[in-house]
Amino acid sequence: MTNRPDWPEYYMGLARSAGARGDCTRRQVGAIVVHDHHVYGTGYNGSVRGSTLSCLKGGCPRGKHYNKMPMGSDPYCACGNAVWPCPDYVEPGSSYETGPGACIAIHAEQNALIDALRHGLPPGGSMYVTEQPCDACFRFIWQCQLHAVFWTHPMGYLPGHVSGMSNPFDSVPGA
C-alpha cells in the first residue's frame, strides 16, 4: 500500500509549493492551472516582473504598516513607528487597487493564468489555488474559460470549489 496522492491532492501540493515563493509579508498564495493532467501554468502572489519594488523589502504600503504587538508590550507599527495606529496605516477593507493602500502585487491566480496562456492553454481546464479567489480573479478565470476552481484555505470559510462554471457575472445588475 502506498501514500500516493490522488490528482487533486497532487495539484494542491504544487499550488502550496508555488505559494512558498510569494512576495508578501502578509500571506503566500499559490495557484496552478491544469488541463488533461498537464500543468500549463504556475503562479504566486508577487511584485510585477522586473519591478524593483518588493513587498518583502517594504515596497508595499499594506505590508509595511501593520500592528505588531509582542506579548506583554504595547502595540507598535511594523515600520518602527512607536505609535499605533501608525499615521500611514492602511485601514482593513480599503481598496487594494487604488488609494494609499494600493497593493503592488499580482495575484497568484493571475500569474498562473498568464503563465498558462504563454504555454498554449486550450479552453477548459482547472485551477488549484491555496485561497479562495477574489472577485477580480474569478472574472479573469472565467474569461480564460476554465471550467473549475478548487481551493483549500478560503478566507474564513470551509474548503470549496466551483465547477462546471457558468458565468458568475450573468446576474450582476448592469452587467
Side-chain angles (χ1 to χ4, degrees), residues 3 10 16 37 39 42 54 60 65 71-72 77 82 91 97 101-103 108 133 136 143 150-151 162 169:
N3 291 331
Y10 172 71
R16 279 191 294 275
H37 297 294
V39 176
T42 62
S54 163
C60 180
H65 303 285
M71 291 293 265
C77 186
E91 287 292 328
E97 302 303 322
C103 179
Q143 187 67 18
F150 302 90
W151 60 88
V162 177
F169 307 100

Side-chain angles (χ1 to χ4, degrees), residues 13-32:
L14 292 175
R16 279 191 294 275
S17 291
R21 295 265 318 141
D23 179 30
C24 181
T25 59
R26 298 171 44 180
R27 70 173 91 175
Q28 281 69 49
V29 180
I32 67 161

Side-chain angles (χ1 to χ4, degrees), residues 111-172:
N111 274 325
L113 286 166
I114 290 166
D115 192 36
L117 293 169
R118 245 187 255 149
H119 292 102
L121 175 69
S126 301
M127 176 177 283
Y128 291 79
V129 61
T130 59
E131 297 208 14
Q132 182 177 358
C134 68
D135 288 344
C137 284
F138 267 124
R139 287 192 300 273
F140 198 43
I141 291 163
W142 169 252
Q143 187 67 18
C144 291
Q145 301 178 1
L146 294 186
H147 69 76
V149 182
F150 302 90
W151 60 88
T152 60
H153 186 267
M155 298 176 249
Y157 304 108
L158 295 174
H161 74 279
V162 177
S163 62
M165 288 174 59
S166 59
N167 187 343
F169 307 100
D170 279 344
S171 60
V172 176

